[in-house]
Amino acid sequence: QVQLVESGGGLVQAGDSLRLSCTTSGATLSRYAVGWFRQSPGKEREFVSNMGWPASIADYADAVKGRFTISRDNPKNTLYLQMNSLKPEDTAVYYCAARRGGRSYLPREYDYWGQGTQVTVSS
């Protein structure tokens, strides 16, 4: 059973940084394409970033490009999302996800999901 557990969310001020972690059990994360998504109240879950397998090519939503960085530590079986220069509009529940096959920008194409971690950015 593949399980993903996010951590690292919190309440910060605009301009601050946070690093989200997604710890995986039951699977070797390096063999999956992975992604980060976020969801605000009343909105659909939206793509933030993804990374492929085996080549760890990454992509980002325009709204976070240049501020967020996705990475993974294979020995630790952990995915990260470094978030810098946070803005109030980044406030959301952030989810990590994994899928077999190539990178995807669509939530419905991911096989496994974490429970989410809340990020709140005050102005």
Side-chain angles (χ1 to χ4, degrees):
Q1 181 73 12
V2 179
Q3 291 187 325
L4 307 177
V5 179
E6 301 97 336
S7 61
L11 172 62
V12 297
Q13 294 186 331
D16 286 350
S17 298
L18 278 176
R19 188 177 77 160
L20 304 184
S21 300
C22 174
T23 302
T24 305
S25 61
T28 301
L29 189 62
S30 60
R31 297 179 180 176
Y32 288 75
V34 292
W36 286 98
F37 294 80
R38 64 187 183 187
Q39 189 167 19
S40 303
K43 295 186 178 180
E44 293 187 353
R45 193 166 297 189
E46 65 174 3
F47 165 75
V48 174
S49 179
N50 61 20
M51 178 176 283
W53 172 83
S56 294
I57 297 172
D59 200 6
Y60 301 90
D62 288 343
V64 307
K65 200 168 291 184
R67 298 188 297 122
F68 290 12
T69 303
I70 189 172
S71 63
R72 56 178 152 195
D73 186 329
N74 291 335
K76 293 184 178 179
N77 223 24
T78 300
L79 177 70
Y80 300 102
L81 184 68
Q82 178 67 43
M83 306 186 296
N84 298 330
S85 302
L86 282 161
K87 304 176 181 180
E89 50 264 43
D90 294 319
T91 295
V93 177
Y94 283 72
Y95 298 89
C96 63
R99 70 184 300 269
R100 298 178 180 88
R103 292 184 298 145
S104 174
Y105 299 81
L106 302 175
R108 66 174 182 266
E109 294 187 349
Y110 283 79
D111 302 305
Y112 306 103
W113 289 86
Q115 83 290 348
T117 186
Q118 176 70 48
V119 172
T120 304
V121 184
S122 63
S123 57

